[in-house]
Amino acid sequence: MRRITGEETEVTGASRTDAGAHAKGAVCHFDAPSSIPARNLPRALNDLLPTDIAVTQARDVPREFHARHWAVDRWYRYRILCGPRDPHRARYVFHHGRELELEPMIVAAGKLVGQHDFLAFTQELEPGENTVRTLKSLLVRRVRDEVWVDVVGIAFARGMMRRISGMLWEIGRGRRGLDSVPRLLAARQSGDAEHRPKVLPASGLCLMKVSYGKRPRDQRGRFEERED
């Protein structure tokens, strides 16, 4: 931004993602001089950015707008390739290479929807960190030779999406039973996080969309859990 505006500019993102993950709908905000029309920013930025990053649109927002605090929910997708290795998709999927049992994965996914303590699905926690989160939906489906895990939630703790996908992957390959799901969700009360689900590689993870609702406004205080 400094090369465009001539001054240092702080850029704030709507959501943090793991190194190696992808984003189709990432959102950020920053203060720009009024002399630069928002419609001109995508082209100016894309001329300077690496080829694997693209700004698709820019718009004027209220000065108090905050990309993270005003978000209503975030939609992530994790892709598991069950077919033969495909070099063209290698950067964007986790290659399992064998079929997964979809039905138990779907049943397990349904048990995670709602507000739960996702302590057993997180990593690198700070002391006393709040791990209660609300998932609005969790859809598991087969798309050609891939299994897609689509999760919409208010906020996500560090590593949470990749561990949710890891648990579903373990269940789909018969390495974990459905009875472990409630135990994982009750890990804080029982004092036993059991064997935490595997953290799947970041390559299969993509932030699909950040939503702000029809009337965007500050969402802090509306949700009990802290947004991360």
Side-chain angles (χ1 to χ4, degrees):
M1 285 301 301
R2 181 168 56 83
R3 294 175 62 182
I4 297 174
T5 66
E7 56 189 47
E8 294 294 334
T9 303
E10 181 178 358
V11 178
T12 301
S15 181
R16 63 188 177 195
T17 56
D18 302 324
H22 312 283
K24 286 189 175 181
V27 178
C28 68
H29 78 265
F30 55 86
D31 294 328
S34 58
S35 59
I36 303 178
R39 65 177 181 275
N40 293 344
L41 284 171
R43 181 172 181 177
L45 289 167
N46 287 332
D47 285 343
L48 300 173
L49 288 169
T51 55
D52 59 350
I53 302 175
V55 178
T56 58
Q57 63 175 298
R59 66 179 62 177
D60 294 315
V61 293
R63 180 166 291 276
E64 64 272 18
F65 175 84
H66 195 287
R68 177 186 173 202
H69 295 156
W70 286 34
V72 174
D73 57 47
R74 297 153 176 85
W75 166 24
Y76 283 94
R77 171 175 292 162
Y78 198 92
R79 295 168 57 188
I80 302 172
L81 176 59
C82 299
R85 185 173 65 180
D86 182 352
H88 296 288
R89 284 181 281 174
R91 290 183 59 192
Y92 307 103
V93 299
F94 163 56
H95 182 228
H96 172 60
R98 293 177 293 281
E99 287 299 319
L100 294 170
E101 290 293 330
L102 205 64
E103 190 57 36
M105 296 175 70
I106 293 172
V107 173
K111 297 178 182 295
L112 297 181
V113 176
Q115 186 178 84
H116 303 285
D117 189 337
F118 285 92
L119 171 67
F121 295 87
T122 58
Q123 60 189 40
E124 301 177 18
L125 293 176
E126 298 292 335
E129 183 173 342
N130 177 23
T131 52
V132 174
R133 297 291 185 273
T134 300
L135 298 186
K136 294 183 176 181
S137 65
L138 206 170
L139 176 65
V140 179
R141 54 185 170 138
R142 182 176 284 109
V143 180
R144 296 178 294 279
D145 59 349
E146 296 181 15
V147 169
W148 289 3
V149 179
D150 284 287
V151 183
V152 176
I154 295 172
F156 293 81
R158 186 179 292 112
M160 178 175 156
M161 182 62 202
R162 290 165 62 195
R163 280 196 192 273
I164 286 176
S165 301
M167 183 199 74
L168 296 174
W169 171 69
E170 291 170 347
I171 288 174
R173 63 196 296 245
R175 298 295 179 87
R176 181 184 290 271
L178 288 172
D179 59 341
S180 70
V181 180
R183 290 203 301 270
L184 288 169
L185 293 176
R188 188 180 297 276
Q189 290 74 24
S190 66
D192 179 15
E194 199 193 3
H195 297 294
R196 295 191 181 200
K198 179 180 176 64
V199 179
L200 294 187
S203 59
L205 181 61
C206 183
L207 173 62
M208 302 297 292
K209 184 178 181 180
V210 181
S211 298
Y212 293 91
K214 293 182 178 179
R215 297 182 178 179
R217 59 192 175 103
D218 195 330
Q219 301 298 320
R220 287 175 296 180
R222 294 193 64 205
F223 307 124
E224 293 184 8
E225 67 259 30
R226 184 179 68 199
E227 294 188 2
D228 290 324

